[in-house]
Amino acid sequence: MKRIIVDYKKLTPEILSLLVEKFPDGYGIRDIVHFTNHKKKNVDAVEVKTDDTVYLVKISDELVDSMENYDENLPDEANLELEVDLDLDED
């Protein structure tokens, strides 16, 4: 299984969706993974998984904002226009 460290700047909509699905009310202190990267810096991240990949998403203020605003970025189903072709004439 691949392990990928993801910074907020490279966060994809798919990974953001996984985060919001796993942490709908936000993440807590017990959800945070602490590790030292290859540059010997301490990093705090949250983990989400797909079938073949573990993503460690670095924690930042921008990540929190994105997760909080996730629902606002989705298309509003009530505002979608549907075109329906009805044939009411009976021959």
Side-chain angles (χ1 to χ4, degrees):
M1 188 173 276
K2 295 187 297 186
R3 294 177 63 85
I4 299 176
I5 300 170
V6 181
D7 191 272
Y8 167 77
K9 296 172 189 169
K10 297 189 179 190
L11 191 65
T12 66
E14 292 81 16
I15 298 171
L16 180 58
S17 179
L18 289 170
L19 282 167
V20 173
E21 184 177 312
K22 183 173 181 179
F23 306 109
D25 298 320
Y27 53 84
I29 191 77
R30 293 184 179 178
D31 300 314
I32 298 173
V33 177
H34 307 281
F35 63 95
T36 303
N37 67 9
H38 68 283
K39 295 179 181 179
K40 306 292 185 211
K41 288 190 173 186
N42 292 326
V43 178
D44 294 336
V46 289
E47 180 182 278
V48 290
K49 298 179 183 179
T50 63
D51 291 335
D52 63 344
T53 307
V54 175
Y55 294 99
L56 295 170
V57 182
K58 292 181 187 179
I59 294 175
S60 66
D61 291 336
E62 292 88 357
L63 175 63
V64 173
D65 291 342
S66 292
M67 289 178 68
E68 288 176 352
N69 297 324
Y70 178 76
D71 288 338
E72 295 172 12
N73 295 330
L74 294 177
D76 186 2
E77 292 179 12
N79 293 330
L80 294 178
E81 293 182 23
L82 292 176
E83 185 175 319
V84 179
D85 185 16
L86 297 175
D87 186 7
L88 300 176
D89 293 331
E90 292 182 17
D91 292 318

